[in-house]
Amino acid sequence: MNNKQSVAIIGLGYVGLPLALLTEQRGFKTIGLEKDPTKIDSLKRGVSYIDDVTDQQISQSNVEFTDDFRILDHTDVVVLCVPTPVNENKIPDLSIVEGAINEIAKHARENSLIIVESTINPGVCDEIIIPLIEKNSGYTVGRNIFLAHCPERINPGDEKWNVRNINRVVGANDKISLDKAMAFYESVIEANIKAMGNIKEAEAVKIVENSFRDINIAFVNELAMSFHSLGINVVNVIDGAATKPFSFMAHYPSIGVGGHCIPVDPYYMIQYAHDHGFDHKFLSLAREINEGMPEFVLDLLREGEQKLGNRVKRVTVLGLSYKPDVADLRESPALKLIDILENNSYSVVKYDPYFLAQSDKPNIESALSNSDCVIIATPHKQFLDYFYRLDFNAKFDYKVLIDGHNNLNKLSSSLESAQIIYLGIGTK
Ligand code: SAJ
């Protein structure tokens, strides 16, 4: 693809912003299109709001930032990178994608290429996006406007894998769209680009790769609950199984599965298949097991009370974010756990250094004081460093510690020597 062509990246979040900077580095005239004025203002001031993007990368780039879709009638390639959440009933919410597609179709130039990177389930392009494009543009997909799907694979906070070096898949329903999209990614990405048989296959790839992770986490979560009652340390067993150099991929139990991808994407597949007469019993059961892990933590707390011979009144929950060392609350199991504890009349003290505004205390020491129990819901490095530096001869207010990701398993005997009941997720 001729690098002097122009590209518009729509949606400048953790997916779109790195891609916009990369296409510009690759010599394309690049426009970053974002509807949030605070983000546009921040970008124009050279200030990043994405952890994986530095201010310098923005200020040194020549990406043009705008919120005006009319710019699309000068662009050859339009890449859509907007969120696709689920609503409270876990039904896919495509409203953001549909709104953006309508705007794109109104302004897109004839013979331009539209690429959807947002995570969508199979059927969304064929049944929703293509009809919207044709209705609002008057063009015909595959003839005088072109469409492909290339599911995003950005992993926030990952220091190794990024937009430049992650392998991708591309799917389209016609050869011109596919060839155009393949040429685009081959001139931007340094990794392998695999052409799928059609657009539905490309949609299915992302859902399948994230559902694969969800079912594997559900597998070890179920093992953790079973092994807890059998007195078997599930993490040791997983690490033992992982010595097999082939056909085993270690996953680890925790208080639940959060984030914008793993707990969401399977619901897209479940809903679409259900609408077409097939019920994904296995995917649904995996979701049920993972969604049920905060309740298992409540069971552990009750077990701690039994061992203590006393009611726990006040619980400190360390961590709100869905995964360590990032500031992201989306679908966080820590929030579900807090609701469950409060609904069971426990007084809860919350502390997360990445969310001080939502925390009840300014630091870990004050968060722990006067609590009967501490639950490590998110294994931020700051928390692990604190506990690994503990003086176990000191006096502790809390008498029960629930280790939500089994990070303190090595301290269990030291904790018990300090008269603290240690409970992990399937490790004790
Ligand atoms: N989790 C477990 N046990 C595990 C792994 C994760 O309980 O063994 C939990 C985490 O605590 C978290 C949730 O699952 O609450 C999701 O964790 P994640 O490591 O999968 O992180 P995400 O949500 O950032 O997932 C992203 C995804 N990337 C994309 O969709 C492009 C996912 O496909 C990647 O597999 C994942 O990063 C990754 O491998 O890090």
Side-chain angles (χ1 to χ4, degrees), residues 93-180:
D93 173 3
L94 293 168
S95 58
I96 303 170
V97 164
E98 290 165 346
I101 286 290
N102 289 338
E103 286 303 306
I104 292 168
K106 278 185 210 145
H107 300 285
R109 196 164 74 184
E110 189 168 10
N111 293 323
S112 60
L113 169 65
I114 300 168
I115 299 171
V116 177
E117 285 212 359
S118 303
T119 300
I120 49 179
N121 57 273
V124 168
C125 283
D126 291 341
E127 297 164 26
I128 298 174
I129 290 178
I130 290 173
L132 284 177
I133 291 173
E134 296 186 337
K135 174 170 159 262
N136 291 292
S137 67
Y139 301 137
T140 303
V141 171
R143 202 175 70 213
N144 55 358
I145 197 157
F146 302 97
L147 175 74
H149 178 52
C150 178
E152 62 90 7
R153 283 180 166 165
I154 294 296
N155 182 24
D158 193 319
E159 286 169 12
K160 178 179 180 195
W161 297 108
N162 54 56
V163 63
R164 188 189 293 269
N165 63 7
I166 295 173
N167 293 336
R168 307 294 291 274
V169 297
V170 173
N173 288 343
D174 65 274
K175 189 172 180 330
I176 299 176
S177 296
L178 183 64
D179 290 349
K180 282 176 174 281

XYZ file of all heavy atoms in Angstrom, residues 93-180:
683
model
N -23.554 -4.590 23.716
C -24.019 -3.225 23.422
C -23.194 -2.688 22.251
O -22.044 -2.279 22.414
C -23.835 -2.343 24.669
C -24.154 -0.884 24.360
O -24.562 -0.606 23.205
O -23.953 -0.033 25.251
N -23.783 -2.693 21.060
C -23.077 -2.287 19.828
C -23.383 -0.845 19.461
O -23.054 -0.375 18.374
C -23.463 -3.224 18.680
C -22.980 -4.674 18.834
C -23.655 -5.583 17.821
C -21.457 -4.760 18.693
N -24.032 -0.106 20.378
C -24.500 1.245 20.029
C -23.358 2.180 19.627
O -23.488 2.989 18.710
C -25.269 1.844 21.210
O -24.433 1.879 22.356
N -22.203 2.028 20.271
C -21.072 2.919 19.936
C -20.563 2.600 18.530
O -20.320 3.488 17.708
C -19.945 2.780 20.984
C -20.476 3.070 22.389
C -18.775 3.702 20.650
C -19.497 2.730 23.504
N -20.454 1.296 18.229
C -20.015 0.879 16.890
C -21.008 1.369 15.837
O -20.640 1.961 14.810
C -19.873 -0.664 16.827
C -19.804 -1.167 15.391
C -18.640 -1.115 17.583
N -22.305 1.162 16.105
C -23.320 1.558 15.118
C -23.296 3.066 14.876
O -23.360 3.535 13.737
C -24.705 1.103 15.589
C -24.874 -0.416 15.538
C -26.077 -0.906 16.338
O -26.619 -0.132 17.142
O -26.459 -2.079 16.151
N -23.158 3.837 15.968
C -23.112 5.289 15.814
C -21.930 5.725 14.972
O -22.065 6.556 14.058
N -20.781 5.111 15.228
C -19.564 5.481 14.485
C -19.678 5.061 13.019
O -19.318 5.821 12.105
C -18.350 4.836 15.127
N -20.216 3.868 12.784
C -20.366 3.393 11.398
C -21.291 4.318 10.617
O -21.029 4.666 9.456
C -20.895 1.938 11.387
C -19.779 0.967 11.812
C -21.463 1.545 10.024
C -18.651 0.789 10.811
N -22.373 4.759 11.231
C -23.277 5.693 10.543
C -22.542 6.965 10.139
O -22.666 7.433 9.008
C -24.465 6.058 11.441
C -25.432 4.890 11.602
O -25.449 3.991 10.753
N -26.189 4.876 12.688
N -21.731 7.503 11.041
C -20.965 8.729 10.730
C -19.943 8.460 9.629
O -19.765 9.254 8.704
C -20.250 9.232 11.987
C -21.166 9.897 13.004
C -21.931 11.067 12.382
O -21.271 11.959 11.806
O -23.172 11.027 12.429
N -19.261 7.329 9.738
C -18.253 6.982 8.725
C -18.920 6.895 7.352
O -18.473 7.475 6.366
C -17.574 5.636 9.064
C -16.728 5.755 10.321
C -16.732 5.136 7.889
C -16.264 4.405 10.876
N -20.055 6.182 7.311
C -20.734 5.956 6.016
C -21.184 7.275 5.387
O -21.123 7.460 4.178
C -21.926 5.031 6.228
N -21.583 8.209 6.231
C -22.051 9.499 5.698
C -20.903 10.263 5.028
O -21.123 11.025 4.092
C -22.626 10.355 6.843
C -24.064 10.016 7.206
C -24.572 11.004 8.271
C -25.609 10.325 9.163
N -25.544 10.789 10.561
N -19.683 10.079 5.529
C -18.569 10.926 5.059
C -17.496 10.177 4.277
O -16.648 10.781 3.640
C -17.912 11.621 6.266
C -18.858 12.488 7.030
N -19.289 13.714 6.575
C -19.497 12.286 8.212
C -20.137 14.239 7.456
N -20.276 13.386 8.463
N -17.533 8.852 4.333
C -16.431 8.104 3.700
C -16.396 8.364 2.196
O -17.429 8.515 1.535
C -16.605 6.618 3.967
N -15.172 8.356 1.688
C -14.970 8.602 0.257
C -15.239 7.322 -0.539
O -15.028 6.222 -0.025
C -13.499 9.015 0.072
C -13.238 9.660 -1.261
C -11.928 10.387 -1.239
N -10.794 9.463 -1.285
C -9.523 9.883 -1.189
N -9.262 11.156 -0.960
N -8.534 9.030 -1.257
N -15.692 7.450 -1.781
C -15.895 6.262 -2.616
C -14.570 5.521 -2.770
O -13.509 6.136 -2.822
C -16.428 6.671 -4.001
C -16.866 5.472 -4.840
C -17.651 5.864 -6.094
O -17.688 7.080 -6.401
O -18.229 4.960 -6.738
N -14.653 4.196 -2.762
C -13.485 3.309 -2.903
C -12.548 3.348 -1.696
O -11.427 2.842 -1.773
C -12.689 3.638 -4.178
C -13.517 3.302 -5.420
O -14.244 2.299 -5.412
N -13.475 4.174 -6.413
N -12.992 3.944 -0.584
C -12.138 3.884 0.621
C -12.332 2.537 1.320
O -13.281 1.796 1.039
C -12.486 5.024 1.582
O -13.831 4.925 1.989
N -11.395 2.237 2.211
C -11.412 0.965 2.949
C -11.780 1.249 4.397
O -11.159 2.094 5.052
C -10.021 0.309 2.899
C -9.789 -0.883 3.826
C -10.677 -2.071 3.434
C -8.303 -1.276 3.821
N -12.770 0.550 4.909
C -13.157 0.638 6.324
C -12.708 -0.646 7.019
O -12.980 -1.757 6.516
C -14.686 0.807 6.476
C -15.164 2.078 5.777
C -15.085 0.829 7.955
C -16.676 2.178 5.636
N -11.992 -0.496 8.130
C -11.550 -1.676 8.892
C -12.115 -1.561 10.302
O -11.974 -0.511 10.945
C -10.012 -1.752 8.979
C -9.393 -1.855 7.585
C -9.603 -2.967 9.834
C -7.869 -1.708 7.585
N -12.771 -2.589 10.774
C -13.277 -2.626 12.151
C -12.286 -3.427 13.005
O -12.022 -4.603 12.714
C -14.674 -3.278 12.219
C -15.157 -3.372 13.661
C -15.668 -2.494 11.361
N -11.700 -2.769 14.020
C -10.810 -3.474 14.967
C -11.546 -3.779 16.277
O -11.114 -4.623 17.042
C -9.554 -2.633 15.271
C -8.541 -2.626 14.150
C -7.096 -2.505 14.669
O -6.906 -2.402 15.903
O -6.171 -2.535 13.850
N -12.639 -3.097 16.536
C -13.390 -3.348 17.779
C -13.782 -4.823 17.869
O -14.074 -5.455 16.840
C -14.656 -2.493 17.805
O -14.323 -1.128 17.679
N -13.816 -5.346 19.082
C -14.201 -6.749 19.270
C -15.693 -6.904 19.018
O -16.502 -6.241 19.685
C -13.880 -7.182 20.710
O -12.483 -7.017 20.917
C -14.270 -8.632 20.941
N -16.044 -7.736 18.057
C -17.461 -7.971 17.736
C -17.656 -9.469 17.511
O -16.719 -10.179 17.147
C -17.892 -7.209 16.449
C -16.899 -7.456 15.310
C -18.065 -5.726 16.744
C -17.252 -6.771 14.012
N -18.878 -9.929 17.735
C -19.120 -11.358 17.542
C -19.382 -11.673 16.080
O -19.726 -10.759 15.298
C -20.287 -11.827 18.420
C -21.553 -11.057 18.141
O -21.764 -10.010 18.738
N -22.384 -11.559 17.227
N -19.244 -12.930 15.710
C -19.551 -13.318 14.331
C -20.959 -12.851 13.950
O -21.875 -12.907 14.761
C -19.482 -14.846 14.371
C -18.588 -15.166 15.502
C -18.818 -14.075 16.521
N -21.074 -12.349 12.750
C -22.384 -11.915 12.252
C -22.584 -10.413 12.314
O -23.439 -9.867 11.606
N -21.810 -9.723 13.145
C -22.057 -8.271 13.291
C -21.759 -7.537 11.986
O -22.511 -6.664 11.557
C -21.227 -7.698 14.462
C -21.236 -6.183 14.462
C -21.778 -8.223 15.786
N -20.656 -7.883 11.318
C -20.373 -7.207 10.044
C -21.460 -7.507 9.020
O -22.031 -6.575 8.424
C -19.004 -7.630 9.506
S -17.634 -6.826 10.362
N -21.760 -8.796 8.826
C -22.736 -9.172 7.779
C -24.126 -8.622 8.071
O -24.812 -8.131 7.171
C -22.828 -10.700 7.680
C -21.539 -11.295 7.108
O -20.770 -10.532 6.474
O -21.302 -12.498 7.308
N -24.527 -8.684 9.357
C -25.942 -8.410 9.657
C -26.206 -6.986 10.139
O -27.336 -6.514 10.124
C -26.423 -9.417 10.721
C -26.372 -10.853 10.205
C -26.472 -11.883 11.326
O -27.049 -11.564 12.383
O -25.971 -13.009 11.145
N -25.147 -6.280 10.578
C -25.369 -4.922 11.115
C -24.513 -3.887 10.364
O -25.033 -2.906 9.823
C -25.072 -4.887 12.633
C -26.035 -5.824 13.377
C -25.160 -3.465 13.185
C -25.760 -5.991 14.857
N -23.204 -4.132 10.297
C -22.301 -3.086 9.788
C -22.453 -2.876 8.280
O -22.597 -1.735 7.815
C -20.844 -3.415 10.186
C -20.700 -3.230 11.713
C -19.850 -2.573 9.413
C -19.344 -3.564 12.281
N -22.468 -3.950 7.508
C -22.585 -3.782 6.048
C -23.899 -3.096 5.670
O -23.896 -2.093 4.933
C -22.396 -5.131 5.321
C -20.926 -5.566 5.425
C -22.848 -5.039 3.861
C -20.619 -6.951 4.896
N -25.044 -3.526 6.217
C -26.295 -2.812 5.886
C -26.247 -1.327 6.257
O -26.689 -0.470 5.488
C -27.345 -3.560 6.713
C -26.788 -4.932 6.913
C -25.310 -4.751 7.014
N -25.635 -0.992 7.396
C -25.552 0.420 7.812
C -24.670 1.211 6.847
O -24.991 2.344 6.459
C -24.999 0.532 9.237
C -25.945 0.190 10.393
C -25.201 0.297 11.730
C -27.173 1.101 10.392
N -23.553 0.625 6.454
C -22.653 1.323 5.516
C -23.370 1.596 4.199
O -23.374 2.725 3.675
C -21.372 0.496 5.269
C -20.492 0.451 6.529
C -20.573 1.074 4.094
C -19.292 -0.479 6.418
N -24.042 0.568 3.680
C -24.669 0.714 2.353
C -25.848 1.677 2.412
O -26.032 2.521 1.533
C -25.058 -0.660 1.825
C -23.826 -1.539 1.584
C -24.124 -2.865 0.926
O -25.287 -3.346 1.035
O -23.202 -3.426 0.295
N -26.576 1.623 3.532
C -27.762 2.512 3.663
C -27.326 3.976 3.778
O -27.872 4.872 3.135
C -28.548 2.100 4.926
C -29.714 2.998 5.294
C -30.571 2.354 6.403
C -31.402 3.400 7.132
N -30.783 3.854 8.395
N -26.265 4.237 4.545
C -25.871 5.632 4.817
C -24.883 6.205 3.815
O -24.637 7.404 3.801
C -25.270 5.729 6.224
C -26.331 5.519 7.298
O -27.214 6.341 7.481
N -26.258 4.357 7.948
N -24.279 5.313 2.985
C -23.297 5.868 2.026
C -23.833 5.807 0.589
O -23.389 6.567 -0.270
C -22.006 5.039 2.082
O -22.257 3.726 1.589
N -24.748 4.871 0.365
C -25.218 4.680 -1.012
C -24.249 3.830 -1.839
O -24.499 3.537 -3.004
N -23.121 3.455 -1.207
C -22.166 2.607 -1.929
C -22.507 1.131 -1.705
O -23.345 0.798 -0.871
C -20.735 2.859 -1.419
C -20.245 4.282 -1.560
C -19.553 4.900 -0.525
C -20.497 5.020 -2.721
C -19.107 6.207 -0.634
C -20.057 6.331 -2.853
C -19.361 6.920 -1.803
O -18.938 8.229 -1.918
N -21.812 0.251 -2.427
C -21.986 -1.198 -2.246
C -20.678 -1.795 -1.766
O -19.627 -1.623 -2.426
C -22.404 -1.859 -3.581
O -23.600 -1.236 -4.029
C -22.618 -3.364 -3.386
N -20.736 -2.435 -0.600
C -19.509 -3.030 -0.031
C -18.979 -4.092 -0.979
O -19.708 -4.956 -1.442
C -19.792 -3.644 1.362
C -18.600 -4.456 1.856
C -20.124 -2.537 2.369
N -17.676 -3.952 -1.279
C -17.039 -4.915 -2.179
C -16.992 -4.405 -3.600
O -16.233 -4.943 -4.416
N -17.743 -3.315 -3.851
C -17.717 -2.794 -5.213
C -17.132 -1.364 -5.211
O -16.116 -1.105 -5.846
C -19.114 -2.763 -5.855
C -18.996 -2.756 -7.407
C -20.328 -2.847 -8.092
N -21.100 -1.608 -7.918
C -22.435 -1.578 -7.830
N -23.120 -2.705 -7.862
N -23.075 -0.437 -7.696
N -17.755 -0.449 -4.477
C -17.195 0.925 -4.460
C -16.985 1.460 -3.042
O -16.825 2.654 -2.832
C -18.038 1.890 -5.287
C -19.500 1.891 -4.853
O -19.886 1.133 -3.943
N -20.289 2.723 -5.476
N -17.037 0.542 -2.074
C -16.505 0.807 -0.731
C -16.103 -0.550 -0.166
O -16.678 -1.586 -0.557
C -17.524 1.539 0.182
C -16.789 2.142 1.391
C -18.654 0.607 0.654
C -17.537 3.311 2.027
N -15.070 -0.571 0.670
C -14.504 -1.868 1.056
C -14.460 -2.006 2.572
O -14.313 -1.002 3.290
C -13.129 -2.010 0.403
C -13.236 -1.904 -1.099
C -12.983 -0.685 -1.735
C -13.686 -2.971 -1.861
C -13.142 -0.553 -3.112
C -13.847 -2.852 -3.238
C -13.583 -1.636 -3.861
N -14.658 -3.234 3.042
C -14.757 -3.489 4.488
C -13.983 -4.738 4.878
O -14.057 -5.759 4.191
C -16.230 -3.682 4.888
C -16.467 -4.085 6.357
C -16.228 -2.893 7.294
C -17.881 -4.640 6.555
N -13.230 -4.597 5.982
C -12.538 -5.779 6.549
C -12.634 -5.723 8.069
O -12.913 -4.662 8.640
C -11.069 -5.782 6.118
N -12.391 -6.868 8.709
C -12.344 -6.918 10.179
C -10.969 -7.429 10.596
O -10.494 -8.450 10.079
C -13.442 -7.830 10.729
C -13.424 -7.954 12.219
N -13.411 -6.874 13.077
C -13.422 -9.049 13.018
C -13.412 -7.304 14.332
N -13.406 -8.613 14.318
N -10.342 -6.710 11.510
C -9.034 -7.126 12.051
C -9.116 -6.945 13.565
O -8.878 -5.853 14.086
C -7.923 -6.275 11.462
S -6.299 -6.703 12.144
N -9.516 -7.966 14.314
C -9.757 -7.798 15.755
C -8.509 -7.321 16.495
O -7.408 -7.832 16.265
C -10.190 -9.188 16.221
C -9.748 -10.130 15.152
C -9.726 -9.363 13.880
N -8.721 -6.346 17.405
C -7.569 -5.799 18.157
C -7.076 -6.838 19.149
O -7.827 -7.677 19.628
C -7.957 -4.516 18.884
C -9.051 -4.666 19.930
C -8.516 -4.975 21.322
O -7.285 -4.944 21.512
O -9.338 -5.308 22.196
N -5.792 -6.760 19.464
C -5.194 -7.699 20.421
C -4.307 -6.965 21.426
O -3.363 -7.549 21.957
C -4.349 -8.752 19.691
C -5.181 -9.823 19.021
C -4.322 -10.835 18.304
N -5.061 -12.036 17.925
C -4.615 -12.915 17.054
N -3.436 -12.737 16.462
N -5.326 -13.989 16.748
N -4.645 -5.681 21.688
C -3.804 -4.933 22.623
C -3.998 -5.464 24.038
O -5.114 -5.714 24.475
C -4.164 -3.431 22.580
C -3.802 -2.845 21.212
C -3.433 -2.661 23.679
C -2.320 -2.852 20.882
N -2.870 -5.630 24.732
C -2.940 -6.125 26.103
C -2.394 -5.032 27.013
O -1.171 -4.897 27.159
C -2.097 -7.407 26.190
C -2.172 -7.987 27.557
O -3.131 -7.740 28.279
N -1.161 -8.726 27.924
N -3.264 -4.231 27.624
C -2.793 -3.067 28.385
C -1.713 -3.446 29.411
O -1.852 -4.435 30.113
C -4.068 -2.585 29.105
C -5.186 -3.085 28.253
C -4.720 -4.394 27.688
N -0.657 -2.688 29.437
C 0.414 -2.916 30.416
C 1.429 -3.965 29.994
O 2.413 -4.196 30.689
N 1.205 -4.598 28.847
C 2.132 -5.653 28.417
C 3.411 -5.002 27.887
O 3.367 -4.222 26.942
C 1.461 -6.507 27.323
C 2.223 -7.801 27.069
O 3.465 -7.750 27.040
O 1.574 -8.838 26.911
N 4.557 -5.329 28.456
C 5.801 -4.679 28.016
C 6.429 -5.363 26.820
O 7.317 -4.836 26.171
C 6.771 -4.629 29.199
C 6.298 -3.560 30.156
C 6.986 -3.558 31.516
O 8.014 -4.259 31.650
O 6.459 -2.874 32.402
N 5.959 -6.562 26.500
C 6.567 -7.306 25.385
C 5.738 -7.168 24.105
O 6.248 -6.862 23.044
C 6.691 -8.775 25.771
C 7.273 -9.642 24.660
C 7.409 -11.095 25.054
C 7.988 -11.915 23.906
N 7.809 -13.363 24.120
N 4.417 -7.390 24.233
C 3.568 -7.420 23.040
C 2.847 -6.098 22.878
O 2.220 -5.605 23.802
C 2.574 -8.574 23.143
C 3.260 -9.907 23.195
C 3.386 -10.744 24.268
C 3.951 -10.558 22.117
N 4.101 -11.862 23.936
C 4.461 -11.767 22.620
C 4.188 -10.236 20.777
C 5.192 -12.666 21.833
C 4.923 -11.113 19.999
C 5.411 -12.316 20.516
N 2.932 -5.535 21.667
C 2.293 -4.224 21.423
C 1.783 -4.163 19.990
O 1.939 -5.118 19.229
C 3.309 -3.102 21.670
C 4.565 -3.321 20.845
O 4.489 -3.444 19.615
N 5.702 -3.450 21.516
N 1.212 -3.055 19.623
C 0.532 -2.938 18.320
C 1.486 -3.251 17.164
O 1.063 -3.718 16.109
C -0.072 -1.528 18.152
C 1.001 -0.458 18.141
C -0.947 -1.446 16.915
N 2.773 -3.071 17.392
C 3.767 -3.230 16.301
C 4.085 -4.697 16.041
O 4.233 -5.119 14.908
C 5.038 -2.494 16.730
C 6.133 -2.361 15.725
C 7.365 -1.795 16.434
N 7.111 -0.423 16.867
C 7.396 0.618 16.108
N 7.936 0.443 14.922
N 7.144 1.853 16.511
N 4.113 -5.512 17.136
C 4.673 -6.878 16.971
C 3.696 -8.013 17.240
O 4.088 -9.183 17.252
C 5.896 -7.053 17.856
C 5.543 -6.942 19.342
O 4.375 -6.868 19.719
N 6.569 -6.919 20.183
N 2.409 -7.668 17.468
C 1.440 -8.756 17.722
C 0.913 -9.269 16.380
O 0.509 -8.477 15.521
C 0.253 -8.249 18.575
C 0.744 -7.847 19.973
C -0.848 -9.297 18.691
C -0.326 -7.164 20.829
N 0.947 -10.590 16.184
C 0.344 -11.176 14.975
C -1.135 -10.776 14.891
O -1.788 -10.598 15.921
C 0.425 -12.701 15.014
C 1.869 -13.196 14.931
O 2.735 -12.493 14.418
N 2.120 -14.376 15.472
N -1.642 -10.661 13.658
C -3.028 -10.287 13.482
C -3.730 -11.223 12.516
O -3.058 -11.918 11.728
C -3.126 -8.845 12.932
C -2.373 -7.792 13.714
C -2.948 -7.574 15.103
N -4.256 -6.945 15.079
C -4.464 -5.640 15.036
N -3.442 -4.816 14.988
N -5.690 -5.147 15.059
N -5.065 -11.227 12.553
C -5.843 -11.889 11.502
C -6.721 -10.841 10.836
O -7.152 -9.874 11.483
C -6.730 -13.028 12.079
C -5.869 -14.118 12.702
C -7.759 -12.510 13.062
N -6.944 -11.033 9.549
C -7.790 -10.112 8.773
C -8.810 -10.932 7.994
O -8.465 -11.971 7.408
C -6.933 -9.292 7.768
C -7.821 -8.462 6.843
C -5.972 -8.376 8.530
N -10.071 -10.451 8.034
C -11.099 -11.155 7.243
C -11.929 -10.162 6.457
O -12.135 -9.022 6.886
N -12.381 -10.588 5.292
C -13.279 -9.767 4.466
C -14.110 -10.717 3.605
O -13.785 -11.911 3.487
C -12.470 -8.819 3.583
N -15.173 -10.175 2.999
C -16.057 -11.042 2.194
C -15.776 -10.940 0.707
O -16.459 -11.570 -0.087
C -17.523 -10.690 2.466
C -17.944 -11.163 3.842
O -17.255 -12.013 4.439
N -19.022 -10.616 4.366
N -14.828 -10.055 0.340
C -14.488 -9.972 -1.083
C -12.987 -9.775 -1.222
O -12.328 -9.280 -0.299
C -15.254 -8.810 -1.758
C -14.813 -7.467 -1.199
O -15.369 -7.036 -0.152
O -13.840 -6.884 -1.748
N -12.463 -10.116 -2.378
C -11.007 -10.131 -2.571
C -10.402 -8.724 -2.497
O -9.342 -8.513 -1.916
C -10.653 -10.796 -3.901
C -9.157 -11.048 -4.084
C -8.827 -11.874 -5.300
C -7.309 -12.117 -5.469
N -6.413 -11.054 -4.935
N -11.063 -7.752 -3.065
C -10.495 -6.383 -3.063
C -10.366 -5.876 -1.627
O -9.319 -5.380 -1.222
C -11.354 -5.415 -3.908
C -11.413 -5.878 -5.371
C -10.785 -3.986 -3.819
C -12.332 -5.033 -6.250
N -11.440 -6.058 -0.837
C -11.384 -5.621 0.574
C -10.260 -6.332 1.309
O -9.479 -5.716 2.048
C -12.714 -5.924 1.276
O -13.768 -5.183 0.708
N -10.153 -7.637 1.092
C -9.115 -8.412 1.781
C -7.733 -7.952 1.340
O -6.862 -7.673 2.185
C -9.292 -9.912 1.494
C -8.313 -10.835 2.223
C -8.512 -10.771 3.736
C -8.445 -12.277 1.726
N -7.534 -7.811 0.061
C -6.197 -7.416 -0.429
C -5.810 -6.025 0.094
O -4.688 -5.790 0.516
C -6.180 -7.417 -1.967
C -6.263 -8.851 -2.530
O -6.118 -9.805 -1.724
O -6.491 -8.990 -3.743
N -6.781 -5.108 0.079
C -6.495 -3.753 0.589
C -6.118 -3.779 2.064
O -5.172 -3.134 2.515
C -7.730 -2.845 0.386
C -7.942 -2.303 -1.026
C -9.257 -1.512 -1.095
C -9.422 -0.818 -2.458
N -8.605 0.431 -2.554
